[in-house]
Amino acid sequence: MTVKTCSFINDSLRYIEDHLEENLTVAEFAEQAGYSESGFSRLFRRQMGCSVLEYVRRRKLLKASELILNGVKVIDAAFQYGWQTHSGFTKAFRQEFGFSPSLLRAMRMQADCLNGGNGMNHFLYRIPEEHTPKEYLFQLLKKEMTENENVIDVEELKKVYIFACQVYCGLKRYSGDEYVTHPLNTALILAQMNAEKNTVYAGMFCDALEKTKVTKEELKENLPLEAAVLVQTLNNYELENQVSSENEEAALIKIAERLHNMRTVRYMDETVAKKKVKETLEFFLPAARKLGNNKLVEKLNDLVLRFGL
């Protein structure tokens, strides 16, 4: 690389970083660098191994991921870097990194929890008071989903909620609360992770096949098909040590369920607690490495050492 080309690349990269929140074009870069569009594009690809717009897109996604890890809602991070919809941003993010931005919210919550907090950082999860009734939890869930998506089908959400109440009817938690409050809290955490709609719906039945007499056929009759299939996937599911589109949604639900149960983690057998910490960390570390987030990788590795894993 010549000194002139090196200076051109460095100047272009600095310009990109300074204007990432803007709608950047190749023509703008070329003019700023003093090249024709074709000449600029050719030189940039030769030195960087990708087109300038591909590079800009990745930098925007990485910057948005930093915001999400710091507690910013997915939709707000998306807007800041030029995406107009939650679904459009999620699609672009998944294409780039192989997992959804919801995983970053889950990662932050779990890291807070494992570091000695309760996993309910106020930026991420406004924890309802203990013994909050199911009716109020539903209102919180509806509010959260409305804030995360431009439009939600309130009637569909209500139908899923009523079905969950029917499925868990008569079951109680050790606290004496209706058992359905646990899957509702799980769904609420998923919504605050900015998980997709059907993942939130499935969260309302996180242990239904284990705890209740509901059948797979009844799930398909009363839930969107994608949500019903996901509930079936949850049965006997364990977190795996890699992130993939095939296991991510199920893993998110298991993590959300675990976060709600973290209030009682001190009562767990030490061996069981270590196993749960280990499998969660093994799920998150590949995601952190894909992002190239060395600081996050170091934090997760510190947790491995702390728990003697």
Side-chain angles (χ1 to χ4, degrees):
M1 184 188 297
T2 66
V3 172
K4 181 180 179 182
T5 302
C6 183
S7 176
F8 148 73
I9 291 295
N10 288 337
D11 288 346
S12 296
L13 295 181
R14 280 195 295 269
Y15 184 84
I16 289 171
E17 292 303 305
D18 290 342
H19 298 82
L20 269 178
E21 295 182 22
E22 300 172 15
N23 184 24
L24 298 171
T25 65
V26 175
E28 183 179 352
F29 292 129
E31 182 180 357
Q32 185 270 339
Y35 285 83
S36 67
E37 288 187 44
S38 60
F40 175 87
S41 297
R42 186 168 57 253
L43 279 172
F44 192 94
R45 181 179 286 278
R46 183 183 304 161
Q47 300 303 326
M48 300 301 295
C50 63
S51 74
V52 62
L53 293 184
E54 288 171 340
Y55 178 84
V56 168
R57 178 175 175 272
R58 181 176 177 84
R59 290 301 304 156
K60 284 176 176 282
L61 289 168
L62 284 168
K63 285 292 187 180
S65 75
E66 292 175 6
L67 292 180
I68 294 165
L69 281 169
N70 285 323
V72 174
K73 283 183 174 290
V74 171
I75 191 64
D76 293 336
F79 283 159
Q80 185 163 333
Y81 285 98
W83 281 269
Q84 298 304 308
T85 65
H86 184 290
S87 59
F89 175 74
T90 296
K91 181 179 179 181
F93 196 97
R94 183 174 274 127
Q95 286 176 340
E96 183 66 37
F97 300 116
F99 56 90
S100 78
S102 301
L103 183 68
L104 301 186
R105 303 271 292 185
M107 192 183 303
R108 170 64 183 276
M109 295 167 81
Q110 184 76 351
D112 284 348
C113 183
L114 297 177
N115 272 312
N118 62 6
M120 306 306 177
N121 182 289
H122 70 278
F123 288 112
L124 300 175
Y125 183 43
R126 294 168 294 283
I127 185 168
E129 293 182 4
E130 193 173 359
H131 309 306
T132 298
K134 63 179 184 294
E135 294 83 4
Y136 187 60
L137 288 173
F138 172 69
Q139 293 304 320
L140 291 175
L141 179 60
K142 181 170 68 173
K143 180 176 183 294
E144 190 67 37
M145 292 184 73
T146 302
E147 290 177 355
N148 293 343
E149 301 282 353
N150 293 330
V151 178
I152 67 164
D153 187 335
V154 176
E155 288 304 313
E156 180 182 66
L157 175 61
K158 186 175 180 181
K159 177 185 174 184
V160 173
Y161 160 72
I162 291 172
F163 180 53
C165 291
Q166 293 170 346
V167 167
Y168 288 99
C169 182
L171 295 181
K172 298 285 186 181
R173 302 203 79 200
Y174 290 121
S175 62
D177 296 325
E178 291 185 75
Y179 192 89
V180 73
T181 59
H182 170 57
L184 284 173
N185 269 290
T186 298
L188 181 56
I189 294 173
L190 286 163
Q192 295 199 329
M193 286 177 181
N194 300 154
E196 295 171 315
K197 178 191 74 172
N198 285 314
T199 306
V200 176
Y201 286 173
M204 278 193 261
F205 302 85
C206 56
D207 54 6
L209 289 173
E210 176 187 352
K211 298 283 188 180
T212 78
K213 295 180 180 180
V214 71
T215 66
K216 295 176 181 179
E217 290 70 27
E218 289 171 331
L219 290 170
K220 289 181 179 179
E221 289 172 4
N222 290 277
L223 299 177
L225 181 59
E226 185 178 335
V229 171
L230 186 49
V231 175
Q232 295 176 40
T233 302
L234 291 172
N235 202 27
N236 299 319
Y237 178 86
E238 293 288 342
L239 286 173
E240 299 178 23
N241 62 357
Q242 60 182 347
V243 179
S244 72
S245 58
E246 289 76 25
N247 67 24
E248 180 189 326
E249 287 76 18
L252 284 173
I253 294 170
K254 287 295 185 181
I255 291 165
E257 184 181 8
R258 182 172 302 169
L259 282 167
H260 182 241
N261 281 327
M262 274 299 180
R263 294 179 190 172
T264 59
V265 71
R266 62 185 179 277
Y267 301 118
M268 283 184 186
D269 175 84
E270 183 179 354
T271 302
V272 175
K274 279 192 173 185
K275 176 181 181 293
K276 291 185 179 299
V277 171
K278 181 177 184 293
E279 64 186 13
T280 302
L281 289 174
E282 287 180 339
F283 183 77
F284 284 145
L285 273 169
R289 292 192 183 105
K290 283 184 180 181
L291 288 171
N293 193 318
N294 293 329
K295 184 177 180 181
L296 186 58
V297 170
E298 288 175 7
K299 282 186 176 181
L300 293 172
N301 280 326
D302 286 345
L303 286 170
V304 172
L305 294 174
R306 176 184 165 191
F307 284 91
L309 301 173

